[in-house]
Amino acid sequence: MRSFKLKTFGLLILAVSCKSNSHEQLNKQSTSKLPNIVIIYADDLGYGDLSAYGATEISTPNIDKLANGGIKFTNGYASSATCTPSRYALLTGSYPWRNKDAKILPGTAPLLIDTAQVTIPKILKTKGYHTGIVGKWHLGLGNGNINWNKHISPGPNEVGFDYSYIMAATQDRVPTVYIRNGYVENLDPTDPIEVNYQENYDGQPTGLDHPELLKMKWHHGHNNSIVNGIPRIGFMKGGESAKWKDEEMADTFLSQAKSFVKREKNNPFFLYYALQQPHVPRTPSPEFLGKSGMGPRGDVILEADWCIGQLLETLEAEGLVENTLIILSSDNGPVLNDGYYDDAVEKLGNHKPAGPLRGGKYSLFEAGTRVPFITYWKGKIEPGVSEALVSQIDLFASLSTLVGSDVNNFDSEDLLETFLGKTDKGRESLIIEATTRIALRQGDWVMIPPYSGQALIQSVNIETGNSKDYQLYNLREDVGEQKNLAKTNTEKFQEMVLELETILQR
Ligand code: NG6
Ligand code: CA
């Protein structure tokens, strides 16, 4: 496959690629009946958080059904160790470090994806798909000065989604309201919403000043406006009737996802179901409270698993499951204490959210970006485990091929046959990112360049991967990244330094 890059106004625009013959055949077969595509995207779910990926202290039967009935990737990566950049890369097929604004965004940030950029849903729309997003957006909205009481635009509907039902940023950030197709849901116009991240509104209690009002205590950050007894990041005023109830969020997004499927069952559809779990604040619905014995973090993982089971049941009941490709992954690795006292550390017991991997969310070590990654298509994908190196960034080119489009993007590799389990061949190499630092994965190896800055983020107790020395690990022999081989395997080390430079110069 060859692809070329065209640049206009600093934006990565389309590159056209020649597809192989086998892809043409596949395209011919599939244009007769294009499959529905569902991407289920968890928030901060770790490599070791699922029983299908080796967890013994928690059971996730519904996700396991996908993992064991489809392809379970053991070298599947999010593009970044935090949310916004990973979501940007997933939808656009572009490495997030190419866009200097692709970092964790406040709820008031402008839309990160240029409306001229090609996205997965835009490609799918050219083939007749009806496209929807339900859940966490966190890619910015508007042009930098949002009036939350009017039509909020541009947003998901301007970058390819026909339907959107979203939270703007994260569950811990204001505004704590749902937005449907650009309009705040249940808003009373006589109680307008105001939001900012700089200063509080007169007379509004904050988590810092009024700890007695809190049902969940903040540990670091998260001490601005209080909503439902939970202190948030950012300040918000008004919009009382529109505020979400955290414990109902899972049900709200699930019923939106189910309705979308039922509404669109006669079209090919694309659903991006972006779950909020297990990101903070972890607020299980009453049915799941205390169910894991591991505190709210475990409870919301069980809740997310149940939601996925419910969505699967809907697909089955509607007779769609044999014509639907389901992809499940997570936007970054796990974190225990991410800013609230919620027993995630205290009640962890023997559970290992990162499995055997080192680091976690925010980290350049493996647990930052290596995440559960599953493809499932009943009757089409033969169950199996794949060690192929694959990234969420590759879904762009691969889904493009699946639907018979010739649109591609420079950074995204067409791995459709790998995702469908027809081959075990993955990427040769991949750049992974953690808060604007990058490292190179290649074959069994990872090479992390030197970075200044703290080696440990104390507040979350996660190792960043920063070191004054180059690091080189052989992940096949040392998946926990304990033995730095940069000085002993100089040949491999130099090859990877060169390879990283070459990729960066492209
Ligand atoms: C951090 C928050 C963290 C989480 C993260 C975004 C603080 C101290 N920490 O800034 O709690 O919200 O941003 O997570 O505010 S992500 O998964 O959306 O990238
Ligand atoms: Ca996340």
Side-chain angles (χ1 to χ4, degrees), residues 217-293:
K217 303 253 180 275
W218 56 277
H219 175 270
H220 57 278
H222 304 97
N223 58 20
N224 302 153
S225 289
I226 303 171
V227 182
N228 302 330
I230 301 173
R232 316 277 169 162
I233 307 172
F235 303 99
M236 175 179 176
K237 187 183 168 204
E240 217 38 62
S241 58
K243 287 178 182 170
W244 66 49
K245 303 231 173 355
D246 295 85
E247 292 77 4
E248 292 171 9
M249 186 176 279
D251 273 341
T252 305
F253 285 147
L254 173 62
S255 72
Q256 283 292 324
K258 282 163 57 171
S259 309
F260 178 83
V261 165
K262 288 182 190 162
R263 228 170 29 241
E264 302 299 345
K265 65 181 173 195
N266 296 322
N267 309 299
F269 63 77
F270 169 58
L271 171 63
Y272 173 40
Y273 180 29
L275 300 164
Q276 87 280 13
Q277 302 106 326
H279 194 281
V280 296
R282 296 154 183 146
T283 51
S285 56
E287 301 91 295
F288 289 93
L289 188 64
K291 219 179 158 192
S292 68

Coordinates of all heavy atoms in Angstrom, one line a residue, residues 217-293:
K217 N -15.4 13.4 48.5 CA -14.3 14.4 48.8 C -13.3 14.4 47.8 O -12.9 13.4 47.2 CB -13.7 14.0 50.2 CG -14.7 13.9 51.3 CD -14.5 15.1 52.3 CE -15.5 15.0 53.5 NZ -16.8 15.5 53.2
W218 N -12.7 15.6 47.5 CA -11.7 15.7 46.5 C -10.3 15.4 47.2 O -10.1 15.7 48.3 CB -11.7 17.1 45.9 CG -11.6 18.2 46.8 CD1 -12.6 18.8 47.5 CD2 -10.4 19.0 47.2 NE1 -12.2 19.8 48.3 CE2 -10.8 20.0 48.1 CE3 -9.1 18.9 46.8 CZ2 -9.9 20.9 48.6 CZ3 -8.2 19.8 47.3 CH2 -8.6 20.8 48.2
H219 N -9.4 14.9 46.4 CA -8.1 14.5 46.9 C -7.1 15.5 46.3 O -6.2 16.1 46.9 CB -7.8 13.1 46.5 CG -6.3 12.7 46.8 ND1 -5.3 12.8 45.9 CD2 -5.8 12.1 47.9 CE1 -4.2 12.4 46.4 NE2 -4.5 12.0 47.7
H220 N -7.1 15.7 45.0 CA -6.3 16.8 44.3 C -7.2 17.3 43.1 O -7.9 16.6 42.5 CB -5.0 16.3 43.9 CG -5.0 15.1 42.9 ND1 -5.1 13.8 43.4 CD2 -4.9 15.0 41.6 CE1 -5.1 13.0 42.3 NE2 -5.0 13.7 41.2
G221 N -7.0 18.6 42.9 CA -7.9 19.3 41.9 C -9.3 19.1 42.3 O -9.6 19.0 43.5
H222 N -10.3 19.2 41.4 CA -11.7 18.9 41.7 C -12.3 19.6 42.9 O -13.0 19.0 43.7 CB -11.8 17.4 41.9 CG -11.3 16.5 40.8 ND1 -10.1 16.0 40.8 CD2 -11.9 16.2 39.6 CE1 -9.9 15.3 39.6 NE2 -11.0 15.4 38.9
N223 N -11.9 20.9 43.1 CA -12.5 21.6 44.2 C -13.2 22.9 43.8 O -13.3 23.8 44.6 CB -11.5 21.8 45.3 CG -10.3 22.6 44.8 OD1 -10.4 23.3 43.8 ND2 -9.2 22.6 45.5
N224 N -13.8 22.9 42.6 CA -14.5 24.1 42.1 C -16.0 23.8 42.4 O -16.4 23.4 43.5 CB -14.2 24.3 40.6 CG -12.7 24.6 40.4 OD1 -12.2 24.3 39.3 ND2 -12.0 25.0 41.4
S225 N -16.9 24.1 41.4 CA -18.3 24.0 41.6 C -18.8 22.6 42.1 O -18.2 21.6 41.7 CB -19.1 24.3 40.3 OG -19.0 25.7 40.0
I226 N -19.8 22.7 42.9 CA -20.3 21.4 43.4 C -21.6 21.1 42.7 O -22.5 21.9 42.6 CB -20.7 21.6 44.9 CG1 -19.4 22.0 45.7 CG2 -21.2 20.3 45.5 CD1 -19.7 22.4 47.2
V227 N -21.7 19.9 42.1 CA -22.9 19.4 41.5 C -23.3 18.1 42.1 O -22.4 17.2 42.1 CB -22.8 19.3 40.0 CG1 -24.1 18.9 39.3 CG2 -22.3 20.6 39.4
N228 N -24.5 17.9 42.6 CA -24.9 16.6 43.2 C -24.0 16.2 44.3 O -23.7 15.0 44.5 CB -25.0 15.5 42.2 CG -25.9 15.7 41.0 OD1 -26.9 16.5 41.2 ND2 -25.6 15.2 39.9
G229 N -23.5 17.2 45.0 CA -22.6 16.8 46.2 C -21.2 16.4 45.7 O -20.4 16.0 46.6
I230 N -20.9 16.5 44.4 CA -19.6 16.2 43.9 C -18.9 17.4 43.4 O -19.4 18.1 42.6 CB -19.7 15.1 42.8 CG1 -20.4 13.9 43.3 CG2 -18.3 14.8 42.2 CD1 -20.7 12.9 42.2
P231 N -17.7 17.7 44.0 CA -17.0 18.9 43.5 C -16.3 18.6 42.2 O -15.8 17.5 41.9 CB -15.9 19.1 44.6 CG -15.7 17.7 45.1 CD -16.9 16.9 45.0
R232 N -16.3 19.6 41.3 CA -15.9 19.4 39.9 C -14.7 20.3 39.5 O -14.3 21.1 40.3 CB -17.1 19.7 38.9 CG -18.4 19.2 39.3 CD -18.6 17.7 38.9 NE -19.8 17.2 39.6 CZ -20.5 16.1 39.2 NH1 -20.1 15.4 38.2 NH2 -21.5 15.7 39.9
I233 N -14.2 20.1 38.3 CA -13.2 21.0 37.7 C -14.0 22.0 37.0 O -14.8 21.7 36.1 CB -12.3 20.2 36.8 CG1 -11.7 19.0 37.4 CG2 -11.2 21.2 36.2 CD1 -10.9 18.1 36.5
G234 N -13.8 23.3 37.3 CA -14.4 24.4 36.6 C -15.7 24.9 37.3 O -16.1 24.3 38.3
F235 N -16.1 26.1 36.9 CA -17.2 26.8 37.6 C -18.4 26.9 36.7 O -18.3 27.1 35.5 CB -16.8 28.2 38.0 CG -15.5 28.2 38.9 CD1 -14.3 28.4 38.3 CD2 -15.6 27.9 40.3 CE1 -13.1 28.4 39.1 CE2 -14.5 27.9 41.1 CZ -13.2 28.1 40.5
M236 N -19.6 26.7 37.4 CA -20.8 26.7 36.6 C -21.9 27.3 37.4 O -21.9 27.2 38.7 CB -21.1 25.2 36.3 CG -22.5 25.0 35.6 SD -22.6 23.2 35.4 CE -24.3 23.2 34.7
K237 N -22.8 28.0 36.7 CA -23.9 28.6 37.4 C -25.2 28.4 36.6 O -25.1 28.3 35.4 CB -23.6 30.1 37.5 CG -24.6 30.9 38.3 CD -24.2 32.4 38.2 CE -25.3 33.2 38.7 NZ -25.4 34.5 38.3
G238 N -26.3 28.2 37.3 CA -27.6 28.1 36.5 C -27.8 26.7 36.0 O -27.0 25.7 36.3
G239 N -28.8 26.6 35.1 CA -29.0 25.3 34.4 C -29.4 24.2 35.4 O -29.2 23.0 35.1
E240 N -30.1 24.5 36.5 CA -30.4 23.5 37.5 C -31.2 22.3 36.9 O -30.8 21.2 37.2 CB -31.3 24.2 38.6 CG -31.1 23.8 40.0 CD -29.6 23.5 40.4 OE1 -28.7 24.4 40.3 OE2 -29.4 22.4 40.7
S241 N -32.2 22.6 36.1 CA -33.1 21.5 35.6 C -32.3 20.6 34.6 O -32.7 19.5 34.3 CB -34.3 22.0 34.9 OG -33.9 22.9 33.9
A242 N -31.2 21.1 34.1 CA -30.5 20.4 33.0 C -29.4 19.5 33.6 O -28.8 18.7 32.9 CB -29.9 21.4 32.0
K243 N -29.0 19.7 34.9 CA -27.9 19.0 35.4 C -28.1 17.5 35.5 O -29.2 17.0 35.9 CB -27.6 19.5 36.8 CG -26.9 20.9 36.8 CD -26.7 21.4 38.2 CE -26.1 22.8 38.1 NZ -26.0 23.4 39.5
W244 N -27.1 16.7 35.1 CA -27.3 15.3 35.1 C -27.2 14.8 36.5 O -26.7 15.4 37.4 CB -26.3 14.6 34.2 CG -24.8 14.7 34.6 CD1 -24.3 14.5 35.9 CD2 -23.7 15.1 33.8 NE1 -22.9 14.7 35.9 CE2 -22.5 15.0 34.6 CE3 -23.6 15.4 32.4 CZ2 -21.3 15.3 34.1 CZ3 -22.3 15.7 32.0 CH2 -21.2 15.6 32.8
K245 N -27.8 13.6 36.7 CA -27.7 12.8 38.0 C -26.6 11.8 37.7 O -26.8 10.9 36.8 CB -29.0 12.2 38.4 CG -30.1 13.2 38.5 CD -30.9 13.0 39.8 CE -31.9 14.1 40.0 NZ -32.0 15.2 39.0
D246 N -25.5 11.9 38.4 CA -24.4 11.0 38.0 C -24.7 9.5 38.1 O -24.3 8.8 37.2 CB -23.2 11.3 39.0 CG -22.7 12.7 38.8 OD1 -23.3 13.7 39.4 OD2 -21.8 12.9 38.0
E247 N -25.5 9.1 39.1 CA -25.8 7.7 39.2 C -26.8 7.2 38.1 O -27.0 6.0 37.9 CB -26.5 7.5 40.6 CG -25.6 7.7 41.8 CD -25.3 9.2 42.1 OE1 -26.0 10.0 41.5 OE2 -24.5 9.4 43.0
E248 N -27.3 8.1 37.3 CA -28.2 7.7 36.2 C -27.5 7.8 34.9 O -28.1 7.5 33.8 CB -29.5 8.6 36.2 CG -30.4 8.4 37.4 CD -31.5 9.5 37.4 OE1 -31.7 10.3 36.5 OE2 -32.2 9.5 38.5
M249 N -26.3 8.2 34.9 CA -25.6 8.5 33.6 C -25.5 7.2 32.8 O -25.7 7.2 31.5 CB -24.2 9.1 33.8 CG -23.5 9.5 32.6 SD -21.9 10.3 32.9 CE -22.5 11.9 33.2
A250 N -25.1 6.1 33.4 CA -25.0 4.8 32.6 C -26.3 4.5 31.9 O -26.3 4.1 30.7 CB -24.5 3.7 33.6
D251 N -27.4 4.6 32.7 CA -28.7 4.2 32.1 C -29.0 5.2 31.0 O -29.6 4.8 29.9 CB -29.8 4.3 33.1 CG -29.9 3.0 33.9 OD1 -29.4 1.9 33.3 OD2 -30.4 2.9 35.0
T252 N -28.7 6.5 31.2 CA -29.1 7.5 30.2 C -28.4 7.2 28.9 O -29.0 7.2 27.8 CB -28.7 8.9 30.7 OG1 -29.3 9.1 32.0 CG2 -29.1 10.0 29.8
F253 N -27.1 7.0 29.0 CA -26.3 6.8 27.7 C -26.7 5.4 27.1 O -26.9 5.3 25.9 CB -24.8 6.8 28.0 CG -24.2 8.2 28.2 CD1 -23.2 8.4 29.0 CD2 -24.8 9.3 27.5 CE1 -22.6 9.7 29.2 CE2 -24.2 10.6 27.7 CZ -23.2 10.8 28.5
L254 N -27.0 4.4 27.9 CA -27.4 3.1 27.4 C -28.7 3.2 26.6 O -28.8 2.7 25.5 CB -27.5 2.1 28.5 CG -28.1 0.7 28.1 CD1 -27.2 0.0 27.0 CD2 -28.3 -0.2 29.3
S255 N -29.7 3.9 27.2 CA -31.0 4.0 26.5 C -30.8 4.8 25.3 O -31.5 4.5 24.3 CB -32.1 4.5 27.5 OG -31.9 5.8 27.7
Q256 N -30.0 5.8 25.3 CA -29.7 6.6 24.0 C -29.1 5.6 22.9 O -29.5 5.7 21.8 CB -28.8 7.7 24.3 CG -29.4 8.9 25.0 CD -30.4 9.6 24.1 OE1 -30.2 9.7 22.9 NE2 -31.5 10.1 24.6
A257 N -28.1 4.8 23.4 CA -27.5 3.9 22.4 C -28.5 2.9 21.9 O -28.5 2.7 20.6 CB -26.3 3.2 23.1
K258 N -29.3 2.4 22.7 CA -30.3 1.4 22.3 C -31.3 2.0 21.3 O -31.7 1.5 20.3 CB -31.0 0.8 23.5 CG -30.2 -0.3 24.2 CD -30.6 -0.7 25.6 CE -32.0 -1.1 25.8 NZ -32.2 -1.7 27.2
S259 N -31.8 3.2 21.7 CA -32.7 3.9 20.8 C -32.1 4.2 19.4 O -32.8 4.1 18.4 CB -33.2 5.2 21.4 OG -33.6 5.1 22.7
F260 N -30.9 4.6 19.4 CA -30.2 4.9 18.1 C -30.2 3.6 17.3 O -30.6 3.7 16.1 CB -28.8 5.4 18.4 CG -28.0 5.6 17.1 CD1 -28.2 6.8 16.4 CD2 -27.2 4.7 16.5 CE1 -27.5 7.1 15.2 CE2 -26.5 4.9 15.3 CZ -26.7 6.1 14.7
V261 N -29.8 2.5 17.9 CA -29.8 1.2 17.1 C -31.2 0.9 16.6 O -31.4 0.5 15.4 CB -29.3 0.1 18.0 CG1 -29.6 -1.3 17.5 CG2 -27.8 0.3 18.3
K262 N -32.2 1.0 17.4 CA -33.6 0.7 17.0 C -34.1 1.6 15.9 O -34.7 1.2 15.0 CB -34.5 0.7 18.2 CG -34.3 -0.4 19.1 CD -35.3 -0.4 20.3 CE -34.9 -1.4 21.4 NZ -35.6 -1.1 22.6
R263 N -33.7 2.9 16.1 CA -34.1 3.9 15.1 C -33.5 3.6 13.7 O -34.1 3.8 12.7 CB -33.7 5.2 15.6 CG -34.7 6.3 15.5 CD -34.4 7.6 16.2 NE -33.1 8.0 16.4 CZ -32.5 8.2 17.6 NH1 -33.1 7.9 18.7 NH2 -31.3 8.6 17.6
E264 N -32.2 3.2 13.7 CA -31.4 3.2 12.5 C -31.3 1.8 12.0 O -30.4 1.5 11.1 CB -30.0 3.8 12.8 CG -30.0 5.2 13.3 CD -30.7 6.2 12.2 OE1 -30.8 5.8 11.1 OE2 -31.0 7.3 12.6
K265 N -32.0 0.8 12.5 CA -31.8 -0.6 12.1 C -31.9 -0.9 10.7 O -31.4 -1.9 10.2 CB -32.6 -1.5 13.0 CG -34.1 -1.4 12.7 CD -34.9 -2.3 13.6 CE -36.3 -2.1 13.5 NZ -37.1 -2.7 14.6
N266 N -32.7 -0.1 9.9 CA -32.8 -0.4 8.5 C -31.8 0.3 7.6 O -31.8 0.1 6.4 CB -34.2 0.0 8.1 CG -35.3 -0.8 8.8 OD1 -35.1 -2.0 9.0 ND2 -36.4 -0.2 9.2
N267 N -30.9 1.0 8.2 CA -29.8 1.6 7.5 C -28.5 1.0 7.9 O -28.5 0.5 9.0 CB -29.6 3.1 7.8 CG -30.9 3.9 7.7 OD1 -31.5 3.9 6.6 ND2 -31.3 4.4 8.8
P268 N -27.5 1.0 7.1 CA -26.2 0.8 7.8 C -26.0 1.9 8.8 O -26.2 3.1 8.5 CB -25.2 0.8 6.7 CG -25.8 1.4 5.5 CD -27.3 1.4 5.7
F269 N -25.6 1.6 10.0 CA -25.3 2.6 11.0 C -23.9 2.5 11.6 O -23.4 1.4 11.6 CB -26.4 2.7 12.0 CG -26.5 1.5 12.9 CD1 -25.6 1.2 13.9 CD2 -27.6 0.5 12.7 CE1 -25.7 0.1 14.8 CE2 -27.7 -0.6 13.5 CZ -26.8 -0.8 14.5
F270 N -23.5 3.6 12.1 CA -22.2 3.7 12.9 C -22.6 4.3 14.2 O -23.1 5.4 14.3 CB -21.2 4.5 12.1 CG -20.0 4.9 13.0 CD1 -19.2 3.9 13.5 CD2 -19.6 6.2 13.2 CE1 -18.1 4.2 14.3 CE2 -18.5 6.5 14.0 CZ -17.7 5.5 14.6
L271 N -22.3 3.5 15.3 CA -22.5 4.1 16.6 C -21.2 4.1 17.3 O -20.5 3.1 17.5 CB -23.5 3.2 17.4 CG -23.7 3.5 18.9 CD1 -24.3 4.9 19.1 CD2 -24.6 2.4 19.5
Y272 N -20.9 5.3 17.8 CA -19.7 5.5 18.7 C -20.3 5.7 20.1 O -20.9 6.7 20.4 CB -19.0 6.7 18.2 CG -17.8 7.2 19.0 CD1 -16.9 6.3 19.6 CD2 -17.6 8.6 19.2 CE1 -15.9 6.8 20.4 CE2 -16.5 9.1 19.9 CZ -15.7 8.2 20.5 OH -14.6 8.7 21.2
Y273 N -20.2 4.6 20.9 CA -20.7 4.5 22.2 C -19.6 4.7 23.2 O -18.8 3.8 23.4 CB -21.4 3.2 22.4 CG -22.1 2.9 23.7 CD1 -22.6 3.9 24.5 CD2 -22.2 1.6 24.2 CE1 -23.3 3.6 25.7 CE2 -22.8 1.3 25.4 CZ -23.4 2.3 26.2 OH -24.0 2.0 27.3
A274 N -19.5 6.0 23.7 CA -18.3 6.4 24.5 C -18.7 6.4 25.9 O -19.2 7.4 26.4 CB -17.8 7.7 24.0
L275 N -18.5 5.3 26.6 CA -18.9 5.1 28.0 C -18.1 6.0 28.9 O -16.9 6.3 28.6 CB -18.6 3.7 28.4 CG -19.3 2.5 27.7 CD1 -18.6 1.2 27.9 CD2 -20.8 2.5 28.1
Q276 N -18.7 6.4 30.0 CA -17.9 7.3 30.9 C -17.2 6.5 32.0 O -16.3 7.1 32.7 CB -18.9 8.3 31.6 CG -19.6 7.7 32.9 CD -20.8 6.8 32.6 OE1 -21.0 6.4 31.5 NE2 -21.5 6.5 33.6
Q277 N -17.4 5.2 32.0 CA -16.7 4.4 33.1 C -15.4 3.9 32.6 O -15.2 3.6 31.5 CB -17.6 3.2 33.5 CG -19.0 3.5 33.9 CD -20.0 3.2 32.9 OE1 -19.7 3.3 31.7 NE2 -21.2 2.8 33.3
P278 N -14.4 3.6 33.5 CA -14.4 3.9 35.0 C -13.7 5.2 35.4 O -13.0 5.3 36.4 CB -13.7 2.7 35.6 CG -12.7 2.3 34.5 CD -13.3 2.7 33.2
H279 N -13.9 6.3 34.6 CA -13.3 7.6 34.9 C -14.0 8.1 36.1 O -15.1 7.8 36.5 CB -13.6 8.5 33.7 CG -12.8 9.8 33.7 ND1 -13.1 10.8 34.5 CD2 -11.7 10.1 33.0 CE1 -12.3 11.8 34.3 NE2 -11.4 11.4 33.4
V280 N -13.3 9.0 36.8 CA -13.8 9.7 38.0 C -14.8 10.8 37.6 O -14.7 11.3 36.5 CB -12.7 10.3 38.9 CG1 -11.8 9.2 39.4 CG2 -11.9 11.4 38.1
P281 N -15.7 11.2 38.4 CA -16.1 10.5 39.7 C -16.9 9.2 39.4 O -17.7 9.2 38.5 CB -17.1 11.6 40.3 CG -17.6 12.3 39.1 CD -16.6 12.3 38.1
R282 N -16.5 8.2 40.1 CA -17.2 6.9 39.9 C -18.4 6.8 40.7 O -18.4 6.8 41.9 CB -16.2 5.8 40.3 CG -14.9 5.9 39.4 CD -13.7 5.3 40.0 NE -12.6 5.5 39.1 CZ -11.3 5.7 39.5 NH1 -11.1 5.8 40.8 NH2 -10.3 5.9 38.7
T283 N -19.5 6.8 39.9 CA -20.9 6.9 40.6 C -21.8 5.8 40.1 O -22.7 6.0 39.2 CB -21.5 8.2 40.2 OG1 -21.4 8.4 38.8 CG2 -20.7 9.4 40.9
P284 N -21.6 4.5 40.6 CA -22.4 3.4 40.1 C -23.9 3.7 40.4 O -24.2 4.3 41.4 CB -21.9 2.2 40.9 CG -21.2 2.8 42.1 CD -20.6 4.1 41.6
S285 N -24.7 3.1 39.5 CA -26.2 3.2 39.8 C -26.4 2.2 41.0 O -25.6 1.3 41.3 CB -27.0 2.7 38.6 OG -26.5 1.4 38.2
P286 N -27.6 2.4 41.7 CA -27.8 1.7 42.9 C -27.6 0.2 42.8 O -27.1 -0.5 43.6 CB -29.2 2.0 43.3 CG -29.5 3.3 42.6 CD -28.6 3.4 41.4
E287 N -28.0 -0.4 41.6 CA -27.9 -1.8 41.4 C -26.4 -2.3 41.5 O -26.2 -3.5 41.7 CB -28.4 -2.3 40.0 CG -29.9 -1.9 39.7 CD -30.0 -0.6 39.1 OE1 -29.7 0.4 39.8 OE2 -30.4 -0.5 37.9
F288 N -25.5 -1.4 41.2 CA -24.1 -1.9 41.1 C -23.3 -1.4 42.3 O -22.1 -1.8 42.5 CB -23.5 -1.4 39.8 CG -24.0 -2.2 38.7 CD1 -25.1 -1.7 37.9 CD2 -23.5 -3.4 38.4 CE1 -25.6 -2.5 36.9 CE2 -24.0 -4.2 37.3 CZ -25.1 -3.7 36.6
L289 N -23.9 -0.6 43.2 CA -23.2 -0.1 44.3 C -22.8 -1.2 45.3 O -23.6 -2.0 45.7 CB -24.1 0.9 45.1 CG -23.4 1.7 46.2 CD1 -22.3 2.6 45.6 CD2 -24.5 2.5 47.0
G290 N -21.5 -1.3 45.5 CA -21.0 -2.3 46.4 C -20.8 -3.7 45.8 O -20.4 -4.7 46.4
K291 N -21.2 -3.9 44.5 CA -21.3 -5.2 43.9 C -19.9 -5.8 43.7 O -19.8 -7.1 43.7 CB -22.0 -5.1 42.6 CG -22.9 -6.3 42.3 CD -23.7 -6.2 41.0 CE -24.1 -7.6 40.6 NZ -24.6 -7.6 39.2
S292 N -18.9 -5.0 43.5 CA -17.6 -5.6 43.2 C -16.8 -5.9 44.4 O -15.8 -6.6 44.3 CB -16.8 -4.7 42.3 OG -16.4 -3.5 43.0
G293 N -17.1 -5.3 45.5 CA -16.3 -5.4 46.7 C -15.0 -4.6 46.6 O -14.1 -4.7 47.5

